[in-house]
Amino acid sequence: METITGTVLAGTSLEPVRGRVVVEDGRIEAVEETDIESTDIVIPAFVNAHTHLGDSVAKEAAVGLSLDEAVAPPDSLKHRRLAAADRAELVSAMRRTLRFMRRTGTVSCLDFRESGPEGARALREAAADADVDPFIFGSGDASVLDVADGYGASGANDDGFAAERAACEERGRPFAIHAGEPDATDIHPALDLDPDLLVHMVHAEREHLERVADESVPVAVCPRANAVLDVGTPPVRDLLDHTTVALGTDNVMLNPPSMFREMASAAKRFDVSAREVLRMATAAGAEIADLDCGVIAPGRRAALVVLDGDSDNLSGSVDPVRAVVRRATPLDVERVVV
């Protein structure tokens, strides 16, 4: 049995509790309010709701390029760099990114992995000793589902994806698709595929928001990547008012996969509360992928980040939730408990 003390951001409400988390056999036995001396802040570990980890072979290479030039299949700079990388280079680069994610508090990510079954296998190999468990949305032929956890489509304007959607339905696997990134033309076609997750929705309009709400489709937003590619700003407040919204960092070639940076940016750019942002970075992504983490509550898997609340950065903060979301950095991480 292990006890972790501090100010615990507990439950789905993330209400601060001065006390301790009791962990046994990898699960949370109890969250107890009690007198403690610890100044630590204990939060759920992060779930990054949208990544492209293969881009780790080309960090910063696409900055300044348009969306099509940077990432659009099949001939963008990203796809050329992926094609040129040998397997050992790719696996090493993804493993190093996964290690960075773990050190900065992320225990899982929802990754769109290019290159079909071989791409998914490469990510499995990279993650084997990285202590981060990626949920892999594979690509290419539907046979990728023999390796991947679900299917990740590039966008409804690129292909029909009917066969891949049907294969997901047959196997009981989730189907995710990019939508509304360059413009709104692919949103309704994407929704016609009955997806389990939409990514981006930068150009979502009222008709799309109403349909997302009616069909209960969650959305992953990646505002920093949208800014780098200059495609616009997602309507985060409107999306939150209509569905579950999770936070992702998108392409590693564009931004480091730091949920601290993503949270701080979202909190300062959008009409959202700190609690909403922290849920977007933890519980929402876990819920989308049906992962047993993202919330500190009895019976849940113990996946926690312990922050030094008395660090030079966090000392004197009057609100622990706002401090975590708007101020905390990886330098404040004391340890990640999984």
Side-chain angles (χ1 to χ4, degrees):
M1 180 181 294
E2 179 182 9
T3 60
I4 302 159
T5 61
T7 299
V8 183
L9 303 188
T12 57
S13 67
L14 297 165
E15 192 65 31
V17 174
R18 290 284 295 162
R20 62 188 180 187
V21 182
V22 181
V23 176
E24 186 167 12
D25 295 329
R27 307 200 75 79
I28 298 170
E29 287 291 310
V31 179
E32 300 174 342
E33 187 171 0
T34 186
D35 290 334
I36 55 167
E37 295 184 0
S38 172
T39 57
D40 289 345
I41 304 172
V42 185
I43 68 172
F46 301 123
V47 177
N48 190 329
H50 186 60
T51 58
H52 287 273
L53 294 176
D55 294 4
S56 300
V57 297
K59 296 169 185 171
E60 305 304 314
V63 175
L65 299 182
S66 70
L67 176 68
D68 285 347
E69 292 170 331
V71 299
D75 299 319
S76 69
L77 182 146
K78 162 184 160 169
H79 289 85
R80 297 196 304 272
R81 291 295 185 99
L82 286 173
D86 64 34
R87 182 186 174 87
E89 178 187 2
L90 176 66
V91 169
S92 176
M94 292 193 296
R95 180 179 293 124
R96 297 187 73 156
T97 294
L98 287 164
R99 290 204 304 255
F100 168 81
M101 294 169 72
R102 171 58 185 257
R103 286 197 303 272
T104 57
T106 295
V107 295
S108 189
C109 61
L110 281 54
D111 190 72
F112 274 45
R113 183 73 269 271
E114 301 82 5
S115 307
E118 282 307 306
R121 290 189 186 97
L123 180 50
R124 292 268 186 239
E125 182 180 340
D129 58 358
D131 292 325
V132 176
D133 186 18
F135 189 98
I136 301 174
F137 286 98
S139 62
D141 186 83
S143 63
V144 74
L145 295 173
D146 292 338
V147 184
D149 302 298
Y151 191 91
S154 57
N157 287 343
D158 297 330
D159 203 342
F161 295 108
E164 293 82 0
R165 181 67 187 94
C168 286
E169 184 72 23
E170 181 179 343
R171 295 182 183 223
R173 305 285 183 82
F175 176 87
I177 187 168
H178 296 81
E181 188 176 11
D183 55 46
T185 60
D186 62 355
I187 299 179
H188 280 310
L191 283 165
D192 289 342
L193 289 164
D194 189 24
D196 299 288
L197 172 64
L198 294 172
V199 180
H200 292 307
M201 294 292 278
V202 174
H203 296 281
E205 300 169 1
R206 179 158 299 281
E207 63 189 280
H208 307 118
L209 295 169
E210 291 175 353
R211 190 170 173 192
V212 162
D214 290 342
E215 299 174 20
S216 300
V217 183
V219 174
V221 295
C222 310
R224 283 192 306 146
N226 299 151
V228 174
L229 292 171
D230 195 26
V231 296
T233 303
V236 175
R237 177 70 268 159
D238 288 338
L239 287 165
L240 278 166
D241 290 340
H242 286 81
T243 190
T244 297
V245 180
L247 202 58
T249 59
D250 206 2
N251 301 79
V252 178
M253 70 193 305
L254 302 176
N255 287 304
S258 167
M259 296 303 282
F260 287 109
R261 287 195 185 187
E262 204 70 44
M263 287 194 304
S265 176
K268 294 171 184 178
R269 291 177 61 195
F270 301 105
D271 180 21
V272 292
S273 70
R275 277 185 173 79
E276 286 175 313
V277 172
L278 187 52
R279 281 195 292 268
M280 289 165 63
T282 55
E287 178 184 326
I288 289 166
D290 197 24
L291 305 176
D292 188 16
C293 58
V295 177
I296 302 176
R300 301 296 289 264
R301 176 188 176 207
L304 315 168
V305 179
V306 182
L307 303 175
D308 178 5
D310 194 38
S311 69
D312 290 341
N313 180 40
L314 296 180
S315 176
S317 298
V318 298
D319 183 306
V321 180
R322 287 204 298 267
V324 167
V325 169
R326 297 170 57 89
R327 181 173 297 274
T329 77
L331 292 175
D332 300 309
V333 176
E334 284 191 341
R335 61 182 177 130
V336 181
V337 179
V338 179

